[in-house]
């Protein structure tokens, strides 16, 4: 078994991360010498307890490697270990790089022009529109956009990049057999078809879990030259991504917002702590030392396809275009119960078809 193969197998064992793997390598002399020892010998390695030692003793490394490679092949994915030449250099520089990356699609080797864009899953309409626009501008200026495939800001960031027919990378916290959320399986395919990739450090069948989400945040930060938070509360996962970026020496950018919006409290906190206040992609480009191509000139060349609407959704959009921009006005014009109307408006917002402006009036984006 080669060091690369042992690395992939170790990544499938609970409790073995980069730090522990390195300690095992140092103790036994090489990665390929890790398998085949009794538990009491593994326990001589600092940080390895009885449970992990027993797992190592009882693991059939050859079998686990074969099973994982087969799973990846069935999913049309490939595996990059930290020993491989195509492992991203930007990740090698962080304190806790993933041992393995599972990749569906094409992972760029050069992340010198990249920006991580993250934010709230329950993003407001205005922030979703801004996130999509700034991702589009970043992509048109040759930047790889890195995000997490989640609802809200992540989705907007990926869609903005796809609007520009450019490369975006989605880092997920579960295994590639368990794309989450399932509603974004099509988005994942679109990202891959556009030349980007969906990646994970977790084994193929790893389930959706909070642990996976927290760990993927450091990968987003590690792959990125800088991280932009477009809208986030103080206790959100986006703040964890920003903390990792600071730790890794990456600049953090944050978008200010209305003081009565709890979703921007995290952004304001970041700005107070030294993040760069961001009103446009130009603010990011200037900090990163790159020039900016005018977005207005390119937007006309990359029209987004019109979405399919139900009869009710079409009626709502037409009413908004005709001046019924509030919930009360829409109820009066359409006769739709307010509960049903609010549900329809929320779905339209999530699909980036309508947006709720700062003055709490609706506007159609298509």
């Amino acid at each position: 078994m080669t060091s690369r193969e042992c690395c992939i197998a170790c990544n499938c064992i609970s409790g073995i991360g980069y730090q522990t793997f390195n300690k095992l390598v140092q103790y036994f002399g090489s990665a390929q010498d890790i398998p085949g020892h009794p538990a009491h010998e593994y326990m001589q390695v600092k940080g390895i307890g009885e449970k992990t030692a027993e797992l190592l003793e009882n693991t059939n490394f050859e079998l686990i490697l074969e099973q994982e490679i087969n799973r990846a092949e069935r999913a049309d994915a490939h595996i990059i270990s930290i020993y491989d030449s195509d492992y991203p250099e930007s990740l090698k520089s962080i304190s806790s790089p993933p041992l393995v990356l599972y990749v569906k699609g094409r992972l760029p080797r050069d992340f010198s022009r990249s920006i991580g864009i993250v934010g709230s899953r329950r993003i407001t309409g205005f922030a979703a529109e801004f996130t999509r626009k700034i991702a589009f501008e970043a992509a048109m200026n040759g930047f790889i956009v890195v995000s997490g495939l989640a609802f809200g800001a992540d989705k907007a960031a990926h869609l903005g990049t796809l609007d520009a027919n450019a490369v975006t990378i989605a880092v997920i916290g579960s295994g590639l057999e368990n794309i989450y959320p399932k509603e974004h399986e099509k988005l994942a395919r679109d990202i891959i078809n556009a030349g980007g990739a969906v990646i994970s450090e977790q084994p193929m069948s790893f389930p959706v879990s909070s642990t996976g989400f927290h760990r993927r945040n450091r990968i987003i930060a590690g792959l990125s030259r800088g991280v932009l938070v477009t809208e986030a509360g103080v206790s959100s996962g986006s703040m964890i991504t920003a903390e990792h970026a600071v730790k890794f020496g990456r600049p953090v950018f944050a978008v200010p917002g209305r003081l009565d919006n709890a979703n921007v409290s995290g952004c304001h906190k970041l700005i107070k702590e030294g993040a760069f206040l961001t009103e446009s992609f130009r603010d990011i480009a200037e900090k990163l030392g790159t020039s900016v191509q005018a977005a207005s000139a390119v937007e006309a060349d990359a029209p987004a396809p019109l979405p399919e609407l139900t009869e009710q959704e079409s009626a709502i959009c037409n009413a908004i275009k005709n001046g019924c921009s509030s919930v009360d006005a829409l109820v009066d014009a359409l006769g739709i119960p307010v509960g049903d109307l609010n549900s329809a408006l929320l779905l339209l917002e999530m699909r980036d078809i309508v947006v709720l402006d700062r003055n709490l009036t609706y506007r159609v984006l298509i």
Side-chain angles (χ1 to χ4, degrees), residues 83-283:
Y83 288 97
D84 295 328
S85 60
D86 51 351
Y87 187 95
E89 289 295 328
S90 56
L91 279 183
K92 287 184 179 178
S93 65
I94 69 175
S95 57
S96 56
L99 289 175
V100 168
L101 290 174
Y102 293 82
V103 181
K104 289 193 72 170
R106 293 185 290 277
L107 187 67
R109 297 189 66 174
D110 184 7
F111 280 86
S112 59
R113 288 176 71 89
S114 59
I115 185 71
I117 302 180
V118 296
S120 172
R121 285 176 172 81
R122 297 183 178 181
I123 198 169
T124 62
F126 173 81
E129 182 180 14
F130 179 88
T131 303
R132 188 165 181 166
K133 180 176 184 294
I134 206 166
F136 176 84
E137 292 174 351
M140 292 305 300
N141 281 278
F143 274 72
I144 299 165
V145 173
V146 185
S147 197
L149 202 70
F151 289 117
D154 291 10
K155 175 186 176 184
H158 292 308
L159 288 175
T161 314
L162 294 177
D163 290 342
N165 297 314
V167 170
T168 180
I169 306 301
V171 187
I172 66 173
S174 53
L176 291 182
E177 289 181 349
N178 298 307
I179 297 294
Y180 181 85
K182 291 191 71 66
E183 292 88 339
H184 285 179
E185 287 180 349
K186 181 182 181 300
L187 177 57
R189 291 194 298 272
D190 291 342
I191 288 170
I192 294 166
N193 291 336
V198 179
I199 69 173
S200 174
E201 71 175 317
Q202 306 295 353
M204 290 296 299
S205 61
F206 192 83
V208 177
S209 71
S210 58
T211 300
F213 285 126
H214 286 306
R215 290 184 60 80
R216 69 95 186 263
N217 292 332
R218 85 191 194 290
I219 299 178
I220 294 174
L223 286 174
S224 305
R225 277 280 310 281
V227 168
L228 169 66
V229 183
T230 59
E231 188 176 77
V234 292
S235 60
S236 68
S238 301
M239 298 294 283
I240 297 173
T241 307
E243 289 172 9
H244 283 303
V246 172
K247 181 180 178 183
F248 301 154
R250 275 63 159 167
V252 175
F253 304 88
V255 180
R258 291 173 49 134
L259 295 177
D260 60 352
N261 178 7
N263 258 9
V264 302
S265 57
C267 292
H268 291 172
K269 182 176 186 293
L270 289 173
I271 292 169
K272 289 177 181 178
E273 293 174 350
F276 296 94
L277 189 151
T278 303
E279 297 175 322
S280 69
F281 179 69
R282 186 175 299 276
D283 296 322

